[in-house]
Amino acid sequence: MYVKPNVPKMAHVGKSVIGFNWIAGRELEGDLPSFDARSSADRRDIVGIFPECSERDIAKAAKAAAEAFKTWKDVPAPVRGAYIQRIGEVLSAQKEKLARVIVREVGKPMREALGEVQEAIDTCHYFHSEGRRLHGQTIPSEMPDKSLSTYRRPLGVVGVLASSNFPLAVPSWKIIPAILCGNTVVWKPSEKAPTIAYLFVRAMMDAGLPPGVVNTVNGKGHAACGKHFLAAIDKGFFQKFSFTGSTALGRTVAEACGRNLISPSLELGGKNPMIVMPDADLDLALDGALTSAFATAGQRCTSLGNLILHKDIAETFKARFLEAVAKITVGNPTGHPEVFYGPMINPRFAKRFEEHWELGRQDGATLLTGGAHWTEDNRDDRVLGEIGHGAYMQPCVWDGVTPEMAIFQQETFGPTVNICTVDDFDQAMAYANGTPYGLSSALYTENRQCIERFKREIQAGMSSINNSTIGAEAHMPFGGTGWSGNNSREGGLWVLEHYTRWHAVNEDLSGKLQLAQIDTDYRGKAKYDVTDWASLG
Ligand code: UN1
């Protein structure tokens, strides 16, 4: 059943991978001249050279996916699961190599890149066996000799668009369950990280995944391939669309999906709160706040935005926090795996980060530290490696932040955190729920009442008690509410709802036409007055 794919060996020029689109199991050039995928850590380093796709290329990929769907949907789910098992095995075997590409391409430190590959492996492990559990239900009928059952059916071709900050893990959350459920995929990888995407599909080819089940189209974002990719929703190419990225673009995706009556999965921005109460283990909270705010240079949708401190510990906590922030090492992770964080992944993120400095000043917030780039001319011993060819930011901490301020409300997506001081738990909860977002959240306390109230009242898709806002496990439902998404979820059982449709089947064995509601023999209909209710007076 497994046919060795006819895929040539990988090509390189120097250290750059010559990349292609994957269409119908073949590596194809695009219609337009290629682009260089440069390392965020060092712009001189070309990690991959990739084709820029036209509308025609996207149509070709969608056609290949539609063609593959005809047979893939009928491959038994446990067998589809077995393909996924092998994809997981290839990823496991190449874990370090893949992580090194992530380090080079998007500039996250090796330990985080290894974690990211592991997240994709975990996703494969989970969905491998889910192929044996793609359960429907049997349901009692209101009629005799009639059997009712439900089946999960695949939707068709799934369009996948995800951001550059988790270029392997987040697409795996979408692609792996999508194909497990019998769908086929067209994926437009981020132009900042096409190489890891290309290698992910290579891993699928190594695992023997049939041609056309997963296709990719590469290219630049908004004004180019990305725009055509979204326009493909209106062309009816997709029966499902899954998006991770900004709230603004999420609205555009949702509008297009709405017009076409397909339901999108949307994982959007966050302005995630963390509350620290006076009875909290402050060492623990300190570690949690530091990691939540600054890991991945704050470029996670789950990064900490507003750090809400109870007034009784605010001053002590702030002092200790600033002391820890002052020790944060920043730098080029390709030669220095020990850096706490690396560069801004995308020039767009860097620009927004710079703009937020001005925003905070206009708001009247107090900048306690940060507010500048690290550069070759402005560096000290906390900066490691060559940083002259990337955007490296100092960690930023704002104080005196309140809900009316723009920096309280808007997602920044960079290494910055707002400190807000509150009088009591009521005010802390009001602050935590005081933004239109609702992705992740955290509370540090030992008080059971506060924990209960937090769990009940927080407007968020995900909450941590005495842990950070980041680091969701791959088999829990991941997603948000409000501006953070449309309450779709990725991961675990819950994602299956988004890549299948329910099919209700009734099978009548009675040999006569039995109409529900009309022919139903409701014996309970009979009503007697054996009790003689009137005798009670
Ligand atoms: C994202 O930033 O888009 O929970 C995903 C976390 C990671 C995933 C973040 N496991 O921080």
Side-chain angles (χ1 to χ4, degrees), residues 513-530:
L513 177 65
Q514 304 191 88
L515 292 179
Q517 297 95 39
I518 295 165
D519 297 329
T520 307
D521 181 14
Y522 284 120
R523 283 160 204 272
K525 250 181 332 207
K527 206 169 158 210
Y528 312 100
D529 189 6
V530 287

Side-chain angles (χ1 to χ4, degrees), residues 20-21 23 28-35 50-61 216-219 225 228:
F20 295 93
N21 301 317
I23 297 180
L28 295 186
E29 305 266 7
D31 275 342
L32 304 168
S34 302
F35 70 97
F50 279 84
E52 174 73 47
C53 284
S54 67
E55 288 171 88
R56 209 179 63 118
D57 293 319
I58 295 168
K60 216 189 290 177
T216 55
V217 285
N218 285 282
C225 176
H228 305 317

Side-chain angles (χ1 to χ4, degrees), residues 119 163 165-166 170 173 244 299-302 413 469-472 478:
E119 208 160 333
S163 73
N165 63 335
F166 276 85
V170 168
W173 295 353
T244 295
Q299 297 165 107
R300 294 192 189 211
C301 53
T302 49
F413 221 64
T469 58
I470 65 169
F478 188 99

